[in-house]
């Protein structure tokens, strides 16, 4: 009898599909956090495969800061229609007004720290008992501490010292009323794994991930796109450069990298040769303090 061995991408896919099915089996009202970025696009593709030929059995949810790249938003809406999913959008701007929060100020005024309020309000509004996200352990030190099923208390807070063991792919989703579980189906993937999988599966992506010309300014060695959300100084020099994005967050805190890569193969070659993580190279908000991400996660950030 001929034996068939899964290659590493098939093994990663199989694990992720298993996690999606565990979510469907263990939770009553899960939601998939979806922003139009490559990781959440990969999650949607995996969810489709997990539940084919049926529909994805839970809603997609976007916590919209109002500072998004237009290309990501356009792709988000196209993909939701393409897979016939239900999208819930909750806006940070509405939360600022309803909670009378202070709007961040400064040159790169990011609303990322305020997303937590909007997310927790949305979880309460829809009574979601599980939120699925695209966090990966290779991205950042705090995310490396996460389990695949990561429990949040009734206040939405995360305690890295109270993590449940996950042995033999057994995931414990039991929670008390008011608690919430964050699930990371691609936790064991790397950035390169995601790109190789996108190539293998021929997954569509927003154009922003490939080289294109854009007006940018240089800030502390990073290239930030010129937009209505960034307050230019008299000393800022706007230049047009050929760039692409490794990760897509807000326009106020996500830097581009110079690149000529216009194909998946070229992007993968560039990633293979770099020694800097995508968030380390391109996310300003992670550099506020050494523990910036962990502080946000403890307070309920994804």
């Amino acid at each position: 009898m001929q034996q068939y061995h899964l290659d590493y991408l098939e093994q990663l896919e199989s694990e992720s599909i298993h996690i999606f099915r565990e979510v469907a089996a263990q939770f009553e009202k899960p939601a998939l956090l979806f922003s139009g970025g490559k990781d959440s696009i990969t999650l949607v593709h995996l969810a489709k495969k997990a539940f084919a030929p049926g529909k994805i059995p839970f809603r997609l949810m976007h916590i919209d800061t109002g500072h998004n790249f237009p290309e990501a938003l356009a792709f988000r809406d196209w993909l939701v229609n393409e897979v016939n999913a239900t999208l819930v959008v909750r806006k940070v701007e509405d939360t600022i007004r309803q909670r009378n929060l202070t709007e961040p100020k400064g040159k790169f005024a990011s609303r990322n720290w305020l997303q937590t309020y909007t997310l927790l309000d949305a979880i309460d509004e829809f009574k979601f008992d599980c939120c699925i996200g695209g966090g990966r352990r290779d991205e950042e030190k705090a995310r490396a501490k996460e389990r695949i099923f990561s429990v949040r208390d009734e206040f939405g807070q995360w305690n890295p010292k109270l993590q449940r063991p996950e042995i033999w792919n057994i995931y414990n989703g039991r929670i008390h009323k008011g608690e919430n579980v964050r699930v990371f189906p691609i936790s064991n993937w790397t950035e390169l794994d995601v790109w190789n999988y996108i190539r293998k599966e021929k997954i569509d992506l927003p154009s922003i991930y490939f080289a294109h010309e854009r007006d940018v300014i240089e800030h502390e060695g990073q290239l930030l796109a010129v937009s209505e959300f960034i307050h230019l100084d008299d000393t800022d020099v706007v230049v047009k450069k050929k760039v692409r994005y490794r990760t897509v967050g807000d326009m106020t805190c996500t830097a581009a990298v110079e690149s000529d890569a216009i194909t998946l193969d070229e992007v993968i070659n560039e990633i293979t040769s770099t020694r800097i993580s995508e968030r380390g190279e391109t996310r300003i908000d992670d550099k506020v303090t050494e523990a910036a991400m962990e502080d946000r996660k403890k307070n309920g950030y994804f």
Side-chain angles (χ1 to χ4, degrees):
M1 183 176 178
Q2 185 177 8
Q3 290 185 332
Y4 178 70
H5 298 282
L6 299 178
D7 69 22
Y8 85 100
L9 286 176
E10 290 172 323
Q11 291 179 33
L12 289 173
E13 179 191 72
S14 179
E15 179 188 53
S16 298
I17 286 175
H18 169 67
I19 293 166
F20 268 113
R21 291 173 177 166
E22 282 292 308
V23 167
Q26 294 195 43
F27 298 99
E28 294 182 5
K29 294 195 71 175
L32 191 158
L33 272 287
F34 181 66
S35 63
K38 72 179 186 309
D39 294 325
S40 59
I41 291 168
T42 299
L43 287 181
V44 171
H45 183 82
L46 289 164
K48 280 177 56 184
K49 297 190 81 168
F51 303 108
K55 289 177 56 178
I56 297 174
F58 35 75
R59 299 182 186 189
L60 309 187
M61 180 167 68
H62 183 207
I63 303 302
D64 183 355
T65 63
H67 293 166
N68 302 281
F69 286 89
E71 298 94 327
L73 289 181
F75 190 91
R76 177 201 70 184
D77 295 339
W78 172 82
L79 185 60
V80 167
N81 183 67
E82 187 75 8
V83 301
N84 192 24
T86 300
L87 175 67
V88 172
V89 178
R90 288 297 177 265
K91 298 183 177 181
V92 174
E93 188 173 357
D94 293 336
T95 305
I96 292 172
R97 185 179 64 255
Q98 292 161 6
R99 286 177 168 260
N100 196 29
L101 301 174
T102 301
E103 177 80 35
K105 294 180 173 55
K107 186 180 183 68
F108 304 105
S110 172
R111 290 174 173 172
N112 267 4
W113 287 82
L114 301 179
Q115 287 185 85
T116 300
Y117 294 102
T118 310
L119 174 60
L120 296 179
D121 286 348
I123 289 172
D124 182 63
E125 176 186 355
F126 292 98
K127 308 304 177 189
F128 292 134
D129 52 359
C130 167
C131 290
I132 305 160
R136 306 189 322 270
R137 288 175 178 147
D138 72 316
E139 288 182 277
E140 199 272 340
K141 293 177 182 178
R143 288 187 167 172
K145 298 179 182 180
E146 288 275 18
R147 294 288 192 260
I148 290 173
F149 274 37
S150 182
V151 178
R152 301 302 200 270
D153 65 20
E154 63 271 26
F155 303 106
Q157 296 179 329
W158 172 65
N159 185 343
K161 296 180 180 179
L162 295 178
Q163 294 284 292
R164 295 174 176 177
E166 291 178 343
I167 306 171
W168 303 306
N169 292 332
I170 297 175
Y171 305 108
N172 181 1
R174 295 181 181 179
I175 55 175
H176 296 102
K177 185 176 181 180
E179 293 179 336
N180 181 269
V181 176
R182 310 289 170 83
V183 173
F184 304 97
I186 60 172
S187 187
N188 290 328
W189 298 43
T190 66
E191 179 190 13
L192 188 58
D193 293 335
V194 171
W195 279 102
N196 279 325
Y197 185 73
I198 287 168
R199 177 172 61 181
K200 176 176 178 288
E201 295 289 304
K202 298 180 173 58
I203 299 173
D204 292 319
L205 290 176
S207 59
I208 197 170
Y209 281 108
F210 302 97
H212 58 283
E213 286 194 340
R214 188 179 288 266
D215 288 338
V216 297
I217 60 170
E218 185 171 337
H219 173 75
E220 297 181 354
Q222 295 182 306
L223 301 176
L224 277 297
V226 175
S227 73
E228 60 185 299
F229 311 121
I230 292 177
H231 306 290
L232 297 180
D233 300 326
D234 293 338
T235 56
D236 286 323
V237 178
V238 177
V239 295
K240 189 179 292 292
K241 286 185 176 289
K242 200 170 185 181
V243 300
R244 67 174 180 85
Y245 287 83
R246 291 179 66 184
T247 180
V248 177
D250 280 358
M251 297 188 77
T252 54
C253 61
T254 307
V257 294
E258 286 196 73
S259 174
D260 292 314
I262 59 173
T263 68
L264 283 171
D265 287 341
E266 290 170 342
V267 169
I268 289 169
N269 286 339
E270 285 190 357
I271 294 169
T272 302
S273 63
T274 187
R275 308 188 81 173
I276 305 174
S277 72
E278 58 186 303
R279 294 190 73 95
E281 183 174 23
T282 64
R283 294 300 289 268
I284 295 176
D285 52 333
D286 287 348
K287 300 181 179 181
V288 176
T289 68
E290 185 70 22
M293 174 63 80
E294 183 160 335
D295 291 341
R296 278 181 285 168
K297 289 177 72 65
K298 286 179 178 178
N299 291 323
Y301 184 80
F302 215 85

